[in-house]
């Protein structure tokens, strides 16, 4: 996997994770369930990141060696970190720019 493909996959995964996390959070808010946002993001990010990478491996016939399995886990963790910084921070920045008028 090249660095360019890695960055493309991480961008796609982080975007998908942000949207799915917001949908899950809204669903849980509607159901009046208390939750920790970071745990929701962690679960969604690992499912999207690791699952997406596994699908990529299968699609491009990349063998599941020990090293590739470590990469799969690292992509999941990297996706989690990127998604935690993602949507909420962008939303906060937009609201702060709107208040400066």
């Amino acid at each position: 996997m090249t660095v360019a493909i890695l960055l493309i996959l991480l961008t796609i995964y982080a975007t998908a994770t942000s949207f799915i996390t917001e949908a899950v959070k809204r669903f849980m808010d509607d159901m009046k369930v208390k939750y920790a946002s970071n745990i929701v993001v962690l679960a969604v990010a690992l499912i999207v990141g690791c699952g997406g990478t596994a699908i990529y491996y299968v699609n491009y016939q990349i063998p599941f060696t020990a090293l590739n399995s470590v990469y799969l886990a690292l992509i999941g963790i990297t996706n989690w970190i990127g998604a935690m910084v993602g949507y909420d921070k962008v939303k906060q920045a937009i609201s702060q720019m709107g208040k400066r008028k």
Side-chain angles (χ1 to χ4, degrees):
M1 180 181 310
T2 65
V3 174
I5 292 173
L6 173 71
L7 292 175
I8 290 169
L9 289 175
L10 282 176
T11 302
I12 292 168
Y13 296 160
T15 303
T17 300
S18 294
F19 287 131
I20 293 169
T21 300
E22 284 306 308
V24 169
K25 285 167 56 177
R26 287 185 186 180
F27 176 75
M28 293 175 88
D29 286 340
D30 290 343
M31 300 301 286
K32 299 193 182 351
V33 175
K34 293 193 183 229
Y35 59 89
S37 294
N38 291 340
I39 302 302
V40 173
V41 172
L42 172 64
V44 172
L46 288 178
I47 291 169
V48 170
C50 294
T53 304
I55 291 169
Y56 176 82
Y57 284 178
V58 169
N59 191 39
Y60 287 97
Q61 299 175 352
I62 297 172
F64 283 92
T65 62
L67 184 60
N68 283 339
S69 298
V70 170
Y71 291 157
L72 187 135
L74 289 176
I75 289 175
I77 293 169
T78 307
N79 181 37
W80 171 51
I81 293 169
M84 280 183 51
V85 179
Y87 182 82
D88 292 334
K89 294 298 179 184
V90 171
K91 188 176 170 183
Q92 180 184 19
I94 291 171
S95 68
Q96 287 175 347
M97 285 189 289
K99 290 179 183 178
R100 291 186 182 232
K101 289 184 179 180

